[in-house]
Amino acid sequence: MRTLDREQPRATDGARPDADGRPLPLTLAVPAAVLAGLALLFAFPPYGLWPLAPVGVALLAAAAHRRRLRAGAGLGFLAGVALFAPLLEWTNLHTGHLPWVLLSLLQAGYLALLGAATAWVSPLADRYRAAWPLLTGVLWVGQEALRDRTPFGGFPWGRLAFSQDTSPLLRLAALGGAPLVTFAVAVAGGILLTLVWRDWRATAGQWRPVAGLTAALVAVLAAGTAVPTGVRGAGDTVTVAIVQGNVPRLGLDFNAQRQAVLNNHVDATLKLAERVAQGTQRRPDLVVWPENSSDIDPLRNPGAGYRISQAADAIGAPILVGAVLLGPGQGQVRNAGLLWRPGSGADLTQLYTKRHPVPFAEYVPLRSIARKVSAEVDRVRSDFVPGTRPGVLDTGAVTLGDVICFEVAYDGIVRDTVTGGAQLLVVQTNNATFDVAEARQQLAMVRLRAVEHGRAALMASTVGVSGFVSPDGRVDGATGFNTAEVVVRQMRLGDGRTPATTAGVWPEVTLAALAVAALAGAAVLRRRRRATAG
């Protein structure tokens, strides 16, 4: 432990409480790292204490500042475990502890890299104290950019931006998407740290930097309120129904009663049709069923196809069905959103196949190796084949952008539907194998996407939480969990583009490039210090 806590080169600006420029004692740094992870955890749904996100960022940055790389990485890993183990606890509800533990440790590894990077740029933060918040911001964006893409396409769950669904910072998504929101949260954390990291025993002149930093913190947190949100472009309104049919029982074996799940969604739609016929409910222009609402392939099973046609004909509107389709090859399947029209049935020209199947859940990469770790991988008997086209589907009344389940966490997959012409965002999901915490975390992502692209959005789940989201991020008609419900709302369509939609990936590329530049700049400064010391 003594080796990990060797002091960094002494600071010369006198801003650190320790005149010799040492890092925090490990007796403080270790609890700070753990508290950082817990603060970040409680910022996310279902807790929703979004102001704790900047606090968590500040605590981790304080713990890693002026550490050697191994110590910074270790403290980052502690924070990552404290965050991801409870945040992802829903992954072990029905699959056992091993997948949960492995996924949590993998995600914590990225915070270990962040901790090491934070330690590495310490000389820059000490020399250019005003730049410390910006350094913190770009390092967080860089870490998330890496975690969102690696390995096997990445796992963006737990991004700082997704903790801000009730925060004024959410509106910044309209300018730069999730990366800009993450940057703003991390900058706020960096300002907090810069505000506190000073010698409070010296009273002369303290009020100036304190006042300036406090004003900067308030400005960052208030910046979102100045960003306009709402529907982009003049659009018509459409009436949309979400059918949440529920499942016989939660868990991985929900699909053992596939016919019952399909029947639940058919029967709920038939009851909605009865209310329409009685004049107590407006006829919807579109009905949305969730992912896995028909795990029986309706294109190959006449009985399943008949039941869906029965529902579509009764309601007199197209149904977006979440279906598992067999093929195209032997032992392969597709997770699809399929438009089913009244009178004519399946419209194969309006079919979206999930482009990002979940590794080790919908397909097993490196199966022979993975089997040596856990035989549970063989629960995935057939690998889901990824689609190749964005989920832009024309129902007649509306062009919708369909994404399926975890795809809502990936920036590019959602953006492609909007640039492809989507007027409404639809997220089909199945939360029957998880819990209400996971469902609410996913709904927070839908809220960010609605603001990011200036589109009304909805999430349709088998068991909940389903709901409608306006382009300013407000939720309407949210359902309960593990219940059967039907919700109908009018939604206004959008046709324009936000700055975030137009900018695409470039805000993230720019901020990540600045993170790389900061790491390089710290390397130069370290070499100069060694040369001077020599």
Side-chain angles (χ1 to χ4, degrees):
M1 190 69 74
R2 184 178 302 168
T3 301
L4 297 180
D5 198 31
R6 288 177 184 169
E7 62 183 280
Q8 295 287 342
R10 297 190 177 199
T12 58
D13 61 4
R16 175 68 170 88
D18 303 312
D20 60 3
R22 291 176 180 265
L24 285 180
L26 277 179
T27 53
L28 294 177
V30 170
V34 175
L35 287 174
L38 294 177
L40 292 170
L41 168 69
F42 284 105
F44 287 92
Y47 313 104
L49 303 176
W50 64 264
L52 289 180
V55 174
V57 169
L59 286 169
L60 177 55
H65 187 54
R66 292 180 179 157
R67 297 281 171 197
R68 290 186 177 271
L69 295 185
R70 286 177 296 169
L75 292 166
F77 188 77
L78 282 178
V81 171
L83 166 62
F84 286 111
L87 184 72
L88 302 177
E89 187 179 11
W90 43 265
T91 60
N92 79 348
L93 293 178
H94 307 289
T95 60
H97 293 304
L98 186 59
W100 166 57
V101 170
L102 292 177
L103 181 60
S104 299
L105 293 179
L106 174 63
Q107 299 308 302
Y110 288 92
L111 287 198
L113 292 176
L114 176 64
T118 300
W120 180 255
V121 302
S122 296
L124 277 179
D126 284 331
R127 183 164 182 174
Y128 306 104
R129 188 52 55 94
W132 203 356
L134 299 178
L135 286 172
T136 305
V138 297
L139 289 181
W140 268 95
V141 173
Q143 174 265 140
E144 289 189 356
L146 183 64
R147 188 166 69 84
D148 297 351
R149 293 167 173 82
T150 60
F152 309 116
F155 186 68
W157 218 270
R159 297 168 75 178
L160 288 182
F162 296 151
S163 70
Q164 302 297 296
D165 60 316
T166 58
S167 161
L169 294 178
L170 181 69
R171 288 172 167 255
L172 293 176
L175 300 180
L180 184 60
V181 179
T182 285
F183 178 71
V185 174
V187 165
I191 293 174
L192 278 177
L193 177 58
T194 310
L195 184 62
V196 174
W197 194 282
R198 59 185 55 256
D199 187 353
W200 290 100
R201 294 169 298 183
T203 57
Q206 284 279 14
W207 68 271
R208 292 185 183 89
V210 169
L213 288 167
T214 302
L217 180 61
V218 172
V220 169
L221 295 178
T225 60
V227 179
T229 60
V231 175
R232 307 291 168 173
D236 298 328
T237 60
V238 293
T239 303
V240 182
I242 296 175
V243 174
Q244 179 179 301
N246 210 5
V247 301
R249 58 181 178 271
L250 299 175
L252 287 177
D253 62 346
F254 80 93
N255 58 5
Q257 299 188 45
R258 296 176 297 170
Q259 187 64 57
V261 175
L262 174 58
N263 288 340
N264 284 352
H265 289 84
V266 170
D267 293 342
T269 305
L270 292 176
K271 291 178 181 178
L272 174 62
E274 291 176 1
R275 295 199 298 273
V276 170
Q278 293 166 0
T280 59
Q281 175 64 63
R282 183 171 182 165
R283 185 182 304 277
D285 299 298
L286 172 67
V287 177
V288 180
W289 288 3
E291 176 190 27
N292 296 121
S293 50
S294 180
D295 274 0
I296 305 172
D297 185 347
L299 302 181
R300 303 198 182 199
N301 185 296
Y306 170 77
R307 290 243 63 195
I308 298 173
S309 290
Q310 184 183 17
D313 293 346
I315 196 64
I319 300 175
L320 181 64
V321 180
V324 174
L325 306 179
L326 301 178
Q330 184 69 26
Q332 294 179 327
V333 290
R334 290 166 289 163
N335 191 346
L338 172 62
L339 198 67
W340 206 279
R341 297 187 185 275
S344 57
D347 184 349
L348 297 183
T349 67
Q350 304 302 320
L351 168 68
Y352 170 62
T353 300
K354 186 177 183 180
R355 290 187 286 165
H356 199 302
V358 180
F360 304 103
E362 293 179 314
Y363 77 101
V364 180
L366 309 174
R367 186 181 286 268
S368 60
I369 298 175
R371 188 180 292 115
K372 295 178 182 179
V373 178
S374 173
E376 292 294 314
V377 298
D378 289 328
R379 282 179 175 266
V380 184
R381 299 185 182 91
S382 300
D383 286 337
F384 281 77
V385 179
T388 57
R389 296 185 301 170
V392 181
L393 306 178
D394 184 2
T395 72
V398 55
T399 300
L400 59 87
D402 187 25
V403 297
I404 298 177
C405 200
F406 286 9
E407 289 187 322
V408 69
Y410 296 88
D411 299 345
I413 290 179
V414 181
R415 185 188 308 118
D416 284 354
T417 69
V418 177
T419 58
Q423 301 168 302
L424 172 71
L425 297 178
V426 172
V427 179
Q428 295 177 287
T429 188
N430 171 30
N431 308 109
T433 55
F434 304 124
D435 64 10
V436 67
E438 183 272 346
R440 294 199 178 280
Q441 290 162 19
Q442 198 170 31
L443 184 59
M445 301 177 195
V446 180
R447 297 178 74 172
L448 183 140
R449 299 306 181 195
V451 173
E452 179 181 13
H453 298 294
R455 292 291 189 276
L458 65 88
M459 185 166 95
S461 170
T462 46
V463 299
V465 175
S466 304
F468 296 90
V469 180
S470 62
D472 61 2
R474 290 176 297 173
V475 177
D476 183 34
T479 64
F481 189 76
N482 196 20
T483 60
E485 297 189 44
V486 175
V487 190
V488 183
R489 292 290 187 276
Q490 282 192 302
M491 306 186 75
R492 185 168 295 279
L493 306 181
D495 296 315
R497 294 189 181 187
T498 64
T501 309
T502 301
V505 75
W506 287 109
E508 183 180 41
V509 169
T510 301
L511 294 170
L514 289 174
V516 174
L519 295 172
V524 172
L525 189 56
R526 284 171 175 270
R527 282 199 299 268
R528 288 177 180 174
R529 285 188 172 184
R530 283 196 296 267
T532 302

